[in-house]
Amino acid sequence: MAGLISRHPGTGTRVERSTPVAAFTTHLGSVEDLTQYGEAAVRSVLSVEPVTVDAELSAVTGLAEGARQVCITSTRRDPGTPDEVVSWARVYLEPGDAKAVAGDLEESGRLIADSIEARTGRAVERVVQQVRAVGVPAEAAAHLGVEPGSPGLEFVRRYYDASGALFEVTVSTHAGDRFVYETVLQRR
């Protein structure tokens, strides 16, 4: 929907705005669709730094408390509207994988998981994704151009290899008024 009107049973139709909401829409239904999203949205790396997983980060990511990881903080932009940040993300990798893909981070539009596969042979077998509504954290808000605490969507994606090992976790935040996530379900 363009966000111009809203319909409410029992109260009628209301004009919400005079111009459509500009939203980046993504359709994900497979690992291959996720790869296409990675190629469609341009990544800019903000920082790469070592972290030790604490209890709070472990609860969000599923990574073991005390584990040493490398955190890559980045933004993604829609090439159609390059002045607007679509998402702010933190990607957590094992130090060896981070070292292997360091040269690919800015040079490649592909997903970091795809770079890991190309450099190490470790392939994605399964991605577990959780989506939840959040108040946009202050650091993300600064890059997304929204007020801290404004409505947003948080995606936590856990990437597993064929042996079932978790080798990448991505936590991304999207401004609630500029991002549409669409899922199509079909009867088998």
Side-chain angles (χ1 to χ4, degrees):
M1 293 295 183
L4 299 175
I5 62 170
S6 63
R7 292 187 176 97
H8 304 276
T11 60
T13 301
R14 185 172 72 199
V15 175
E16 297 291 339
R17 57 182 48 86
S18 60
T19 58
V21 173
F24 182 81
T25 302
T26 187
H27 312 274
L28 302 177
S30 66
V31 172
E32 292 75 19
D33 289 345
L34 191 57
T35 298
Q36 284 186 319
Y37 165 72
E39 293 170 356
V42 179
R43 179 178 45 239
S44 295
V45 174
L46 304 173
S47 67
V48 178
E49 53 196 14
V51 297
T52 300
V53 177
D54 61 16
E56 183 181 355
L57 184 57
S58 177
V60 171
T61 62
L63 295 166
E65 191 172 341
R68 292 184 31 215
Q69 296 281 296
V70 172
C71 175
I72 302 163
T73 304
S74 64
T75 60
R76 287 207 178 254
R77 297 176 186 275
D78 176 359
T81 53
D83 294 338
E84 195 169 274
V85 173
V86 173
S87 70
W88 175 85
R90 287 202 162 133
V91 177
Y92 299 92
L93 302 175
E94 294 173 359
D97 287 341
K99 184 176 181 179
V101 300
D104 294 341
L105 295 177
E106 286 286 358
E107 298 171 11
S108 172
R110 68 181 165 180
L111 292 177
I112 292 173
D114 290 340
S115 291
I116 290 171
E117 181 177 2
R119 300 284 181 199
T120 70
R122 186 178 214 174
V124 174
E125 176 71 22
R126 172 173 61 105
V127 179
V128 176
Q129 176 177 266
Q130 294 175 324
V131 183
R132 69 183 183 122
V134 296
V136 176
E139 186 178 353
H143 293 282
L144 292 168
V146 299
E147 290 294 318
S150 63
L153 288 175
E154 179 183 82
F155 288 74
V156 178
R157 291 187 181 110
R158 294 177 184 92
Y159 295 78
Y160 296 87
D161 65 17
S163 72
L166 175 63
F167 72 94
E168 177 185 333
V169 179
T170 300
V171 181
S172 60
T173 304
H174 302 262
D177 64 344
R178 291 195 313 261
F179 185 81
V180 175
Y181 178 77
E182 181 175 286
T183 302
V184 176
L185 305 174
Q186 294 180 321
R187 189 173 302 277
R188 290 184 190 193

